[in-house]
C-alpha cells in the first residue's frame, strides 16, 4: 500500500508541472484521503478488511489530459500549469466517480459486466503499463548506480527472498516474512541510505548538473521547508473545473478500477473465511467506491480510488483477517497525511530511484492486466485478435494524436463543435480509452460464447445465482455478522423501508414486465440458437466450461489421470453388471461423492486465520457472531467463492502482491484443455471387458 500510494503522485505531479512542494502536499493528501475512505468502506461499504487507495488505472487518463493542456495552452509558470491541470483532473475524477456510484446504486453492475468482459479489462490495464515506458529506464540511466540498485533490490526481496522468514520476538509474531511484506519499503530505505552516503562523501560534487539532480539527496529543500502539520482540505488547489471531456476520459480508468475491486472483494472473503458477498453488498460497495472517488476528486489527490489487491497478499501472508486491524491502519494513514514532513521526505527521493521503482511496478501492472485472459479461452483466434489489435491501436493512435497536437497546437479532430473536439481529442489521447472503446466494440459484436469470452466468471463476481440464495441475506446470522451495517441498521432499514419499496416497485413495473415478456423470451431463444450454432462449429472447444476458463473445480481436488478414469469406469461398469456405473467426475473432481459443505480448505492448502488476529464475525458489535467459514457455505456459494479466490493474489514485486492467477491448490495449474478433453474421452469409452456404460456425468 505504501509503495503504490507514494508512486502515483510521483507520476502525476511531475506530468502536470508541479514543484517538489506540490508533490509533498499531494502525497500527504492521498494518504489522508486513503485513510478516510478506508474507514468508510469498512464501516458502511463492503465491510471487509481491505485497504482503499489510489489506483494506477487513472494514470493514463491523467497523462492524456495533462499532455493536451501542455500542448494547447501557455502559462506564466509550471506551477500555474499544475494548478490549472489539477483542477481539470479533479473535475474528471468527480464526474467519473459519480457515474460509478450510479452504476452501483441502481444495480446496473450485472449488465455492465455483461459488456465489459475479461478481454476488455486485460487490454485496458495491459496498455496502461505499456504506455508508461517513457518514465522507466530513461530515468534509471540518468544515475545507473542508484536506479539499477533500487530495481535489483525490489526484485531480490519480492521474488528471490519472499520465502525467507526473519526471526522476531514472540510478541511481534515470531518468524515473519518481512521481505515479502515490504519489498518496496526495504528497497527504498537501502537505496536511499546509499545515496545519502554518496552525497555526503562528495562523490557527485564534480558530476554534471543533470547527474546531480538525479543522484543527490540534497538537491531539493522540500523536506526542510515542509511544515510539521498541514491539514489537506477540499478545494485546496482552487476552483474545480468540470467538463464532459475530462469525465469521459477518466471513465476509461474508473471502470477497470471498479472491476478490479470486484475481484478483490471475493478474494478477500475467501481468504478470511467470510461468506460470499451477496449482490446487494457488492452494489453497495461499488456505489460507495464511486462516492469516494468523487471525494478524492474534491480533495485533489490526482487519482481515483480502488481496493488495494496488495492488501489481499498481506492477508494471505499474515493470516490476520480482522477488520479492526485495517481500521487502525487507516487511522495511521490519516495521521501521516497530516504531517507535512512525511510528504516532504518522500518528495526528496532522488529521481533515479523512483524510475527504478517504475520499471518494476509498471511491468507488473501490464502483466496483471494480461493475466485476466486466464478467464477466457486463450486458444480462441477471436480473443487473440481482439486483444492484440486493441493493445497495438491503443499505443499507435495515442502516439499519432500526441505528435499532431505538439506540432499544430490543437488535436487532429476539428469539427464545428468545440465541445466535441475537446471530448474526442481527449479520449484519443488516452491509450486506455482507445483500448476500452475498441474492445467494447469488437468483443460485443464478434460472435463468441460466454465461456469463450470469460463471462461465466464475471457473472459469479456480479453475484448472479440461479438458486436465489442472495435474497434477504440480512436474515442470515452469518451474513449479517459480516456485511450488516453497525447497530443493526441493515435489518431495520430493510424491514421498514426496503421491503415495502420493492413491493411497491413490483406493483408499478408488473404490467411493463408482462408486456416485455415476449421480447425476453425471443431474446432467450436467439441466445440458445447462437449457443447451439457455436457448439456445432467448435463444440469440442467449449464442451468443458471449467477447462476453457482454466478454473479450479468446486472441491479443489486433484485432477485424475486418464488411466485412473479408465480404471474407475471399468470398475464401476463391472460392479454394476454391465449397467450404468457410478459417476466419475472429470476436470479435477474427486471420485467419491462430495459433501454439501463445499470447499475443503485443508485439502486446498489454505491455512486457517491466526486466531490472535480475530475474524470479521468477532468485529460485528451489533450481532451475535455466526459461522463464517467457507466450509459452512452451500456448495454453489463455496464454488463462487473459489472462483473469486482464483482472482486472488500472487506475491509480486513492489506491491507485496499483485492480482494474479494463484491456484488455491498450492500453486499447481489446472490440466490443459487437451488433457481434460482426453480424460473426458477416456471416461466416455466403454470399459474394456466390463461392458459398462459411460459415465452420465461425463
Amino acid at each position: 500500500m505504501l509503495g503504490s500510494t507514494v508512486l502515483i503522485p510521483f507520476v502525476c505531479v511531475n506530468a502536470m508541472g508541479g514543484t517538489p512542494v506540490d508533490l509533498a502536499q499531494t502525497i500527504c493528501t492521498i494518504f489522508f484521503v486513503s485513510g478516510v475512505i478506508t474507514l468508510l468502506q469498512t464501516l458502511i461499504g463492503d465491510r471487509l478488511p481491505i485497504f482503499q487507495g489510489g489506483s494506477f488505472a487513472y494514470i493514463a487518463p491523467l497523462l492524456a489530459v495533462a499532455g493536451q493542456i501542455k500542448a494547447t495552452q501557455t502559462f506564466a509558470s509550471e506551477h500555474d500549469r499544475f494548478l490549472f491541470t489539477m483542477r481539470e483532473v479533479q473535475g474528471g475524477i468527480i464526474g467519473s466517480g459519480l457515474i460509478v456510484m450510479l452504476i452501483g446504486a441502481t444495480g446496473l453492475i450485472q449488465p455492465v459486466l455483461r459488456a465489459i468482459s475479461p478481454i476488455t479489462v486485460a487490454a485496458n490495464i495491459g496498455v496502461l503499463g505499456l504506455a508508461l515506458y517513457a518514465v522507466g529506464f530513461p530515468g534509471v540511466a540518468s544515475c545507473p548506480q542508484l536506479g539499477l540498485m533500487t530495481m535489483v533490490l525490489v526484485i531480490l526481496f519480492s521474488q528471490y527472498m519472499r520465502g525467507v522468514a526473519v526471526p522476531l520476538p514472540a510478541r511481534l509474531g515470531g518468524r515473519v516474512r518481512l521481505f515479502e511484506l515490504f519489498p518496496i519499503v526495504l528497497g527504498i530505505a537501502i537505496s536511499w541510505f546509499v545515496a545519502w552516503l554518496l552525497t555526503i562523501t562528495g562523490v557527485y560534487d564534480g558530476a554534471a548538473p543533470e547527474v546531480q539532480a538525479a543522484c543527490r539527496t540534497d538537491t531539493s529543500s522540500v523536506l526542510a521547508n515542509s511544515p510539521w502539520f498541514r491539514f489537506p482540505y477540499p478545494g485546496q488547489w482552487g476552483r474545480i473545473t468540470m467538463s464532459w471531456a475530462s469525465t469521459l476520459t477518466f471513465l476509461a480508468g474508473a471502470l477497470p478500477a471498479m472491476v478490479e475491486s470486484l475481484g478483490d472483494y471475493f478474494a478477500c472473503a475467501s481468504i478470511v473465511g467470510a461468506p460470499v458477498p451477496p449482490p446487494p453488498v457488492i452494489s453497495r460497495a461499488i456505489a460507495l467506491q464511486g462516492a469516494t472517488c468523487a471525494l478524492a476528486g474534491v480533495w485533489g489527490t490526482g487519482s481515483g480510488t480502488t481496493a488495494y489487491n496488495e492488501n489481499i497478499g498481506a492477508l494471505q501472508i499474515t493470516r490476520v483477517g480482522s477488520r479492526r486491524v485495517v481500521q487502525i491502519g487507516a487511522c495511521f494513514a490519516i495521521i501521516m497525511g497530516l504531517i507535512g514532513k512525511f510528504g516532504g521526505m518522500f518528495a526528496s527521493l532522488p529521481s533515479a530511484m523512483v524510475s527504478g521503482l517504475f520499471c518494476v511496478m509498471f511491468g507488473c501492472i501490464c502483466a496483471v492486466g494480461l493475466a485476466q485472459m486466464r478467464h477466457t479461452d486463450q486458444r480462441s483466434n477471436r480473443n487473440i485478435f481482439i486483444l492484440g489489435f486493441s493493445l497495438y491501436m491503443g499505443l499507435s493512435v495515442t502516439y499519432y494524436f500526441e505528435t499532431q497536437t505538439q506540432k499544430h497546437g490543437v488535436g487532429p479532430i476539428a469539427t464545428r463543435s468545440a465541445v466535441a473536439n475537446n471530448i474526442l481529442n481527449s479520449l484519443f489521447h488516452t491509450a486506455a480509452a482507445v483500448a476500452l472503446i475498441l474492445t467494447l466494440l469488437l468483443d460485443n459484436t464478434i460472435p463468441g460464447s460466454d465461456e469463450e469470452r470469460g463471462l461465466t466468471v464475471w457473472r459469479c463476481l456480479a453475484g448472479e445465482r440461479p438458486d436465489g440464495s442472495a435474497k434477504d441475506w440480512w436474515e442470515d446470522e452469518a451474513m449479517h455478522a459480516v456485511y450488516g451495517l453497525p447497530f443493526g441498521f441493515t435489518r431495520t432499514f430493510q424491514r421498514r423501508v426496503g421491503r415495502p419499496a420493492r413491493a411497491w416497485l413490483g406493483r408499478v413495473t408488473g404490467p411493463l414486465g408482462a408486456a416485455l415478456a415476449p421480447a425476453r423470451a425471443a431474446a432467450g431463444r436467439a441466445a440458445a440458437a447462437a449457443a447451439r450454432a457455436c457448439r456445432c462449429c467448435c463444440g469440442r472447444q467449449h464442451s468443458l466450461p471449467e477447462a476453457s476458463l482454466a478454473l479450479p473445480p468446486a472441491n479443489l481436488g486433484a485432477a485424475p489421470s486418464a488411466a485412473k478414469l479408465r480404471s474407475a469406469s471399468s470398475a464401476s461398469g463391472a460392479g454394476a453388471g454391465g449397467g450404468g456405473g457410478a459417476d466419475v467426475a472429470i476436470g479435477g473432481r474427486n471420485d467419491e461423492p462430495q459433501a454439501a459443505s463445499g470447499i475443503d480448505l485443508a485439502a486446498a492448502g489454505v491455512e486457517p486465520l491466526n486466531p490472535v488476529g480475530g475474524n470479521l464475525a468477532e468485529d460485528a458489535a451489533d450481532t451475535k457472531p455466526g459461522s463464517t467459514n467457507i466450509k459452512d457455505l452451500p456448495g454453489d456459494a463455496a464454488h463462487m467463492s473459489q472462483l473469486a479466490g482464483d482472482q486472488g493474489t500472487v506475491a509480486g514485486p513492489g506491491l507485496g502482491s499483485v492480482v494474479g492467477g494463484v491456484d488455491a491448490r498450492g500453486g499447481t495449474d489446472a490440466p490443459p484443455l487437451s488433457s481434460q478433453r482426453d480424460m473426458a474421452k477416456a471416461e466416455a469409452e466403454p470399459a474394456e471387458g466390463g461392458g459398462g456404460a459411460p459415465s452420465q456425468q461425463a
Side-chain angles (χ1 to χ4, degrees):
M1 171 264 169
L2 181 63
S4 301
T5 308
V6 169
L7 289 182
I8 291 174
F10 267 100
V11 181
C12 300
V13 173
N14 292 334
M16 292 186 289
T19 63
V21 176
D22 298 327
L23 176 61
Q25 294 177 357
T26 306
I27 292 175
C28 290
T29 301
I30 196 172
F31 268 92
F32 178 83
V33 174
S34 296
V36 172
I37 63 178
T38 300
L39 289 178
L40 290 176
Q41 278 285 9
T42 54
L43 289 174
I44 61 175
D46 54 62
R47 292 191 51 83
L48 289 168
I50 306 178
F51 208 93
Q52 308 284 324
S55 172
F56 284 102
Y58 288 85
I59 292 181
L62 184 144
L63 295 180
V65 172
Q68 188 178 21
I69 291 176
K70 181 179 180 181
T72 57
Q73 301 189 40
T74 57
F75 301 91
S77 65
E78 284 292 276
H79 179 68
D80 291 339
R81 180 169 73 89
F82 167 78
L83 294 178
F84 183 89
T85 307
M86 177 61 85
R87 297 165 191 165
E88 187 74 22
V89 168
Q90 288 180 262
I93 294 175
I94 293 173
S96 61
L98 293 178
I99 294 176
V100 172
M101 183 179 69
L102 182 65
I103 293 174
T106 56
L108 293 175
I109 184 66
Q110 293 181 2
V112 168
L113 288 183
R114 179 73 189 181
I116 303 177
S117 71
I119 303 175
T120 304
V121 177
N124 191 278
I125 302 298
V127 79
L128 167 63
L130 295 175
L132 297 174
Y133 64 89
V135 299
F137 195 78
V140 173
S142 62
C143 186
Q145 57 269 36
L146 284 185
L148 291 177
M149 179 174 59
T150 305
M151 188 191 313
V152 170
L153 286 176
V154 172
I155 296 175
L156 177 67
F157 295 150
S158 63
Q159 301 300 320
Y160 294 96
M161 300 181 64
R162 61 183 179 184
V164 177
V166 178
L168 295 176
R171 66 177 184 275
L172 298 179
R175 299 176 64 85
V176 179
R177 293 186 295 185
L178 291 178
F179 298 108
E180 187 174 7
L181 285 172
F182 309 108
I184 278 191
V185 175
L186 293 175
I188 289 177
I190 296 176
S191 301
W192 206 352
F193 178 73
V194 173
W196 176 75
L197 287 180
L198 296 177
T199 300
I200 63 175
T201 54
V203 173
Y204 302 118
D205 290 347
E210 58 272 14
V211 175
Q212 295 192 30
C215 299
R216 297 182 67 95
T217 60
D218 57 356
T219 56
S220 174
S221 59
V222 60
L223 179 60
N225 296 333
S226 297
W228 279 102
F229 176 82
R230 178 184 180 274
F231 182 78
Y233 55 92
Q236 59 184 328
W237 310 115
R239 184 177 179 179
I240 300 173
T241 304
M242 299 286 294
S243 67
W244 278 110
S246 298
T247 297
L248 296 178
T249 301
F250 276 93
L251 189 62
L255 293 179
M258 177 190 71
V259 176
E260 178 185 358
S261 295
L262 281 176
D264 292 338
Y265 298 152
F266 284 87
C268 179
S270 175
I271 292 172
V272 302
V276 177
V281 174
I282 294 298
S283 297
R284 184 181 73 193
I286 293 300
L288 185 59
Q289 177 172 320
T292 54
C293 283
L295 188 69
V298 171
W299 249 269
T301 62
S303 172
T305 63
T306 189
Y308 271 149
N309 47 61
E310 305 92 287
N311 183 214
I312 308 296
L315 289 176
Q316 286 181 323
I317 297 172
T318 62
R319 316 306 303 172
V320 176
S322 174
R323 187 189 296 122
R324 295 191 185 96
V325 173
V326 175
Q327 291 171 342
I328 293 173
C331 294
F332 275 105
I334 293 175
I335 294 174
M336 287 188 292
L338 296 175
I339 301 175
K341 295 289 185 182
F342 177 79
M345 177 182 64
F346 281 102
S348 61
L349 281 174
S351 60
M353 289 177 52
V354 179
S355 297
L357 296 175
F358 288 162
C359 291
V360 181
M361 298 286 289
F362 294 144
C364 289
I365 291 173
C366 177
V368 165
L370 298 180
Q372 298 299 320
M373 292 296 293
R374 72 189 184 277
H375 298 310
T376 68
D377 187 351
Q378 301 181 45
R379 299 185 179 184
S380 169
N381 290 332
R382 170 194 182 275
N383 295 346
I384 293 174
F385 165 75
I386 294 175
L387 179 64
F389 181 75
S390 301
L391 287 175
Y392 179 81
M393 293 300 292
L395 297 174
S396 184
V397 171
T398 53
Y399 175 77
Y400 169 75
F401 272 75
E402 289 173 359
T403 54
Q404 291 296 312
T405 303
Q406 294 174 358
K407 183 185 298 184
H408 303 290
V410 293
I413 296 180
T415 65
R416 295 182 179 181
S417 173
V419 176
N421 294 340
N422 291 333
I423 292 176
L424 294 176
N425 285 315
S426 296
L427 286 177
F428 290 111
H429 264 83
T430 311
V434 175
L436 179 65
I437 294 172
L438 291 177
T439 49
L440 283 176
L441 175 64
L442 298 176
D443 191 38
N444 288 281
T445 55
I446 299 178
S449 66
D450 287 355
E451 289 81 8
E452 187 178 13
R453 297 176 60 193
L455 294 178
T456 305
V457 176
W458 248 222
R459 285 198 295 266
C460 292
L461 294 184
E464 295 184 24
R465 303 182 188 180
D467 58 358
S469 58
K471 185 178 181 181
D472 294 348
W473 62 270
W474 56 88
E475 300 293 354
D476 182 83
E477 290 295 333
M479 285 281 195
H480 188 265
V482 177
Y483 301 114
L485 298 180
F487 309 110
F489 179 77
T490 298
R491 288 177 174 173
T492 302
F493 175 82
Q494 292 292 345
R495 291 169 180 172
R496 297 183 180 180
V497 180
R499 283 177 177 171
R502 286 193 297 273
W504 175 84
L505 186 62
R507 290 192 299 268
V508 172
T509 60
L512 179 61
L516 295 178
R520 288 199 300 267
R525 289 192 296 268
R532 287 193 299 270
C534 183
R535 285 195 296 270
C536 290
C537 68
C538 52
R540 286 178 58 84
Q541 186 175 2
H542 306 304
S543 58
L544 297 175
E546 284 186 347
S548 63
L549 291 174
L551 292 175
N555 65 341
L556 301 176
S561 62
K564 181 178 178 181
L565 286 172
R566 291 193 185 96
S567 62
S569 179
S570 301
S572 62
D583 289 347
V584 180
I586 63 173
R589 301 183 186 275
N590 290 334
D591 298 343
E592 52 274 339
Q594 298 304 314
S597 58
I599 298 176
D600 187 354
L601 292 182
V606 179
E607 302 176 1
L609 290 176
N610 187 347
V612 177
N615 55 50
L616 293 181
E618 295 175 356
D619 290 338
D622 56 320
T623 57
K624 181 180 178 180
S627 175
T628 58
N629 197 296
I630 303 178
K631 296 171 67 176
D632 298 328
L633 298 178
D636 291 342
H639 183 49
M640 288 176 56
S641 178
Q642 180 52 37
L643 293 181
D646 187 57
Q647 177 105 347
T649 56
V650 176
L655 293 174
S657 68
V658 295
V659 173
V662 124
D663 192 338
R665 292 167 289 183
T668 57
D669 297 330
L673 293 177
S674 58
S675 300
Q676 296 201 14
R677 295 191 193 112
D678 293 340
M679 289 187 281
K681 181 178 179 182
E683 185 182 355
E685 295 175 354
E688 297 180 4
S695 168
Q696 297 297 323
Q697 182 169 345

